[in-house]
Structures are given as structure tokens and as C-alpha cells.
Amino acid sequence: MSMLRPSAKSVSNLMRMVGSSCTCPAHTALGTTHVHGPKCSHRRASAQTPRSEYAFEMATSTVRVGAGATREIGMDLANLKAKRVMVFTDPNIAKLQPLQTVVEALDRARVKYTVYKDVRVEPSDTSFQAAIDAARAYGPDAFVAVGGGSTIDTAKAANLYTVFGDAHLLDFVNAPLGRGRAVDRPLLPLIAVPTTAGTGSECTGSAIFDLKSKGAKTGIADRALKPMLGIIDPLNTRSMPMQVRLASGLDVLCHAIESYTAIPYHMRGPAPENPLLRPAYQGANPISDIWSSHALRMVAKALPRAIADPEDLDAQDTMTLAAAYAGIGFGNGGVHLMHGCSYGISGLNRSYQHPEYPTEHALCPHGISVAVTSPAVAEFTASMNPDRHLEIASVLGADVTNAKREDAGIVLGDALRRFLQGLGVPNGIAAFGYSTSDIGALVESILPQHRVLKLSPRQTGAEQIASILERSLKNY
């Protein structure tokens, strides 16, 4: 494993990119750092010099893994003395075995519940608000989410705004689109039962949705949102359509890559004045690195098998674990440009409808929208940690024996293109109907994603994002 701290050459590259004669961290290209070094001429102008980040935290849900483990959920809720459980699912999962298994378990345990079946695949502010209103009206003392990331994220939001009953939706939404309020008291118990192998939402404190008024995806990120328990039961993923399996698997891939290549946590910026304010997405760190790098290796082997053979149950089971592993990794390390760009790509989509997604609205699945910019992003970020980028390329099948460090971006970009093309991923954002004339609007939609853009290892503004999008119009 490469060292977390960047090499002297990487720092030199960084400073040349900034074009500044001052080498203190406050003037690096990291965007959010504002900690002046002891010899910096600007230090005296600061009334107070904040301490740069020096710590990272590890937070994740308890997980229970095993085929058939869903049948225990009734006992879990009875053990919590729950008396009014609200179960969230979407209209499709409502007809399938995973929800039936949950309902039967609750009935056996004589736990009172209601089922909310109106979760929107790729949630919006409107669908979040509808779920919040329903939860506030019912007054649950525990939540269950049965579905993919959309369902789990919706249940997280309903939980948050039930506890904070007078809060407005934007109060806890990430700044600058929302007010970024911290969650300062415990939420109600939430048990997540994922039916996809992708988002890792069962392990994280994030809830993502489309903010329609801004034409962009955003979300809420706070450790308090993470489920109390995630039940990872591979039997619940058996009914996934192949395209859902593909999209969710690509999300795992990018979670792992982005977490592993994010800005190191100690270079993110100043330490928070209160640990409550330390972000959930902290930057690459030694613990997240372990989970993310292992998840990457699992996905590289298992996802092509799971797509090629719908009867390869071993590959499917591996992907359920990989999703959780990557969830633990990125849930603490964070994601950056692939996800940042995806929020604009999916948020501005008006007509593209991905196959095998049973929805009535235009939909570019999250994992697909994330993956299509991955080659261009890798080419952009590689200069800051070429060793890690070459390592990822090797995991994806590239021969890096004689590869030069300065070519790491090209090598990984090409490896990603081969990997995506082999899986049948749409050929760039042009496949969704975007053209060069749309780049400006996409950039405008992506720039407010501060929570993830600030974790890019390279300074990223409108010009850099536009370049990534231009190079992502077609990938092969």
C-alpha cells in the first residue's frame, strides 16, 4: 500500500499547478485549506491561525451478514421494544420476496407496523417531503428500510425530520444548497435491509436526493443518520434486474476508487472547532483505505462475472459484501469528482430512460452516471498520487510493469474504458442526450457540490469540470 502522505514530487506538481511562490498549505491547490505555514508572509495578517486537521473518525453501522438473516428482523425490533414501526419500500420491491420476508418476521414477533410503499427510485425533494410528512403523521418509534439506496436514504430522511419535527427540509441539507445544520441529538432506530449491491447506504450517514429547484442532486451527510443495523442478506438481491445489478455494481467500483484517491484527511483543511462538526467525508485515511482497496479487488473480479452469468450466485454474494466494504470506506473517506459530476448529469436529465428500471420518470441510474466520467476523472487526478492510480489500473487488469508514474492517468483511464465497455456501459454522457452545448449548464449544476468536490486531490473549478465533461462525451 502506498503511503498516505504525498511524495515531494506530488507536492511540487501541486505547487506548479497553483503557480504560487508561497508553499504554505494555505496557498496550495487543495481549495479548502487555509492554514498558513510558520514562514508564510500572510500569517501575520490572520487574527487567528486555525489548526490544520489532525484526526479522523471511523463510524459505521453494525452489520449482520448471512443468507436468511432478514428473518431475524422481527426479533430485533421486539428486542428494541418497538411498538410503532414504519417500513419503507418502493412500489416494485413491495411486490417481491424481501418485503414479504420482513413483514412475516414482524408478524411473528407481534410488532405493530405500517408499510410506506411510495418511495421514488432516485428520490427528489418532493418525494423526500412526502415520506417525511407520512412519518410525522404516523409517529413511529423505529424505522425499517427494505430496498436499494433510494429507499434507505428516504428512510434516513424520514427518521431525521421526524425527530426534528419542526425542521425545514433544507435545514440539514449540505451547504451551500442547504443550511448544513449539524444533527445534535440521537435519531430513532433504523434497520436497513438492502436489496441491491451498490450504494452501501446501510453503512453510511448520507441521504441523497434531487433538488429539483436547482436541477442538481444534493443530500444530507451526518454520522447520526447511519442505520443502527444493516442486514446484508444475499437472498434479497436475487431479484435484481441485470441493469440494476450493473448500475449498483458500478457505484461500488467508484466508491472504492474515489475514497482511495481522495485528498488525505490531514490536508482537507482546518480542524473543526467542535468534533461534532468534523465532516462524515473526511478524506483518505488509513482505515478507509483498507476497506476501499479490498472492495476494489472484489468488484474487479466479481462484477464482470455477475453481469455475464445471472446464475453466478457466488459473484452476487461477493458483490453484496463489496458494497458494504466500500460503504465503510467511502462513508468515512468520502467520494469526489466522479460522484460530483454525476449529480449534475442525473439531475439535469430530462429524457433518458435506462432499460430495466421500472419508473415512469426520466432516469439515469446513479451508478451509471457516476461511472461514465471515471476515465476522465482518473486522468485528471492521477498526478497527485500516481502510485495509487497505477495500483487501481493493475487491479482492473492493466499491465503496469513498465508504466511510468507520469503516465498513470492515461493507464488508469484506458483500463477503466476497457472495463466499462466490457460491461456494456453507455458510451459517455452523449448517450444520455448531452452535447457540448450542455456543458455550461452541467458545470453550473455541479459546482455547488462542495461536500464532494473539496475532496478532489487537485483543485477543481469550472474549467476543470468542463474539461472532464468534454472528455466524457464519448468514452470509446
Side-chain angles (χ1 to χ4, degrees), residues 105-145:
L106 296 176
D107 287 338
R108 285 195 304 272
R110 298 181 180 180
V111 174
K112 184 179 179 181
Y113 64 90
T114 189
V115 179
Y116 181 85
K117 303 178 182 180
D118 296 327
V119 169
R120 186 182 194 267
V121 177
E122 302 292 342
S124 66
D125 48 355
T126 302
S127 72
F128 261 23
Q129 190 63 57
I132 291 165
D133 292 344
R136 286 172 170 172
Y138 181 68
D141 57 6
F143 291 86
V144 171

Side-chain angles (χ1 to χ4, degrees), residues 107-267:
D107 287 338
R108 285 195 304 272
R110 298 181 180 180
V111 174
K112 184 179 179 181
Y113 64 90
T114 189
V115 179
Y116 181 85
K117 303 178 182 180
D118 296 327
V119 169
R120 186 182 194 267
V121 177
E122 302 292 342
S124 66
D125 48 355
T126 302
S127 72
F128 261 23
Q129 190 63 57
I132 291 165
D133 292 344
R136 286 172 170 172
Y138 181 68
D141 57 6
F143 291 86
V144 171
V146 186
S150 297
T151 296
I152 299 172
D153 287 2
T154 299
K156 290 175 183 176
N159 188 359
L160 173 64
Y161 291 95
T162 297
V163 172
F164 291 85
D166 58 352
H168 184 275
L169 179 62
L170 290 180
D171 283 351
F172 292 98
V173 171
N174 303 316
L177 294 175
R179 300 181 183 94
R181 178 179 169 185
V183 182
D184 57 6
R185 61 179 184 265
L187 304 186
L188 297 169
L190 165 61
I191 300 179
V193 184
T195 60
T196 62
T199 67
S201 188
E202 67 273 13
C203 298
T204 75
S206 298
I208 307 301
F209 66 97
D210 283 319
L211 185 58
K212 292 297 186 182
S213 62
K214 300 295 184 181
K217 277 187 181 288
T218 185
I220 307 162
D222 195 292
R223 295 176 187 84
L225 268 68
K226 69 182 187 300
M228 179 195 80
L229 172 66
I231 298 179
I232 302 172
D233 183 344
L235 298 181
N236 292 329
T237 69
R238 300 291 189 243
S239 59
M240 265 198 296
M242 189 57 65
Q243 286 298 316
V244 178
R245 195 178 302 281
L246 172 61
S248 58
L250 292 171
D251 200 19
V252 182
L253 173 72
C254 294
H255 284 156
I257 293 174
E258 290 173 88
S259 175
Y260 198 51
T261 59
I263 185 175
Y265 75 94
H266 61 275
M267 299 176 71

